[in-house]
Amino acid sequence: TYAGTKETVKNALSLWGRKVGEASRKAEDLSRNTWQHLRTAPSMTEAAVGRIAQGTKVLAEGGHDRIFRQAFSAPPDEQLRKSYACYLSTSAGPVMGVMYLSTARVAFCSDTPLSYEAHAGDNTEWSYYKVAIPLHRLRAAIPSASKVKPAEKFIQLVSMENHEFWLMGFVNYSSAVVHLQEALSGFHNLQA
């Protein structure tokens, strides 16, 4: 009947409209997060080139899983769940890298080696900046945003020893928050 067809078309258009609206919101979030990610670096050009270099490294080395396994000597039974481009806040400024979330830990590794003076300033050495916290030693993953600049979003990781690590400039902030909190609550539920 005409009324049934009209209702079917109306429902289909309504569903399509909701999906377009949702896709638009996701695209806006991604655009805003990418812009914030690039602004977090001391130089936007360096950040953009760094992201391209990271993408090339991921392709050349066989994916985030292989990079994670190499960087953190992960055993075969540890599975990488997610990886997120972000920065680690340090006293020397933000360090661009990737946060890895596995079945056993949350970890961060800088995209490039950083220089430091070794042996009382005798020579400069280079090393990747790495942080790894086993999930059973992770007390909290706390999302927050700057009160002055709400687009600046952070995730504070707190270990059982009260060490704090601040991650920021996520390209996919909402997903990182959800997956970190799921992993943390799931792991703590298994321990209980």
Side-chain angles (χ1 to χ4, degrees):
T1 69
Y2 175 74
T5 303
K6 182 178 171 186
E7 192 62 30
T8 301
V9 169
K10 182 177 157 188
N11 289 341
L13 288 174
S14 177
L15 177 62
W16 179 76
R18 284 193 301 274
K19 288 188 180 211
V20 167
E22 183 180 318
S24 294
R25 279 189 299 282
K26 286 182 180 179
E28 286 173 13
D29 282 349
L30 180 60
S31 173
R32 195 173 13 261
N33 289 345
T34 300
W35 175 249
Q36 190 60 41
H37 178 80
L38 295 174
R39 287 186 53 210
T40 301
S43 158
M44 287 181 115
T45 304
E46 285 179 31
V49 169
R51 275 299 131 229
I52 292 168
Q54 175 64 17
T56 303
K57 179 181 175 181
V58 169
L59 288 173
E61 295 190 24
H64 283 287
D65 187 65
R66 289 195 57 190
I67 293 171
F68 168 74
R69 291 191 178 291
Q70 287 176 328
F72 296 99
S73 302
D77 62 332
E78 183 176 356
Q79 300 301 310
L80 179 64
R81 289 183 176 159
K82 295 284 182 179
S83 58
Y84 297 97
C86 65
Y87 295 83
L88 176 67
S89 178
T90 71
S91 58
V95 174
M96 185 187 296
V98 176
M99 181 194 83
Y100 298 97
L101 178 60
S102 76
T103 53
R105 68 182 112 186
V106 60
F108 174 89
C109 184
S110 62
D111 284 350
T112 58
L114 304 174
S115 65
Y116 64 95
E117 292 195 16
H119 311 293
D122 289 346
N123 59 345
T124 299
E125 295 192 12
W126 296 81
S127 178
Y128 285 93
Y129 198 109
K130 297 179 189 178
V131 173
I133 306 170
L135 290 177
H136 72 277
R137 303 299 310 156
L138 184 61
R139 175 176 292 155
I142 305 162
S144 62
S146 167
K147 289 180 181 19
V148 178
K149 296 180 182 176
E152 292 180 3
K153 298 176 182 175
F154 307 90
I155 299 175
Q156 177 189 12
L157 301 177
V158 183
S159 73
M160 293 295 186
E161 299 79 20
N162 288 322
H163 297 287
E164 294 182 9
F165 301 94
W166 290 81
L167 299 165
M168 58 196 206
F170 282 87
V171 174
N172 199 342
Y173 178 79
S174 298
S175 177
V177 168
V178 166
H179 286 101
L180 262 172
Q181 290 181 336
E182 281 177 0
L184 189 59
S185 67
F187 198 87
H188 287 206
N189 288 341
L190 287 175
Q191 299 294 336

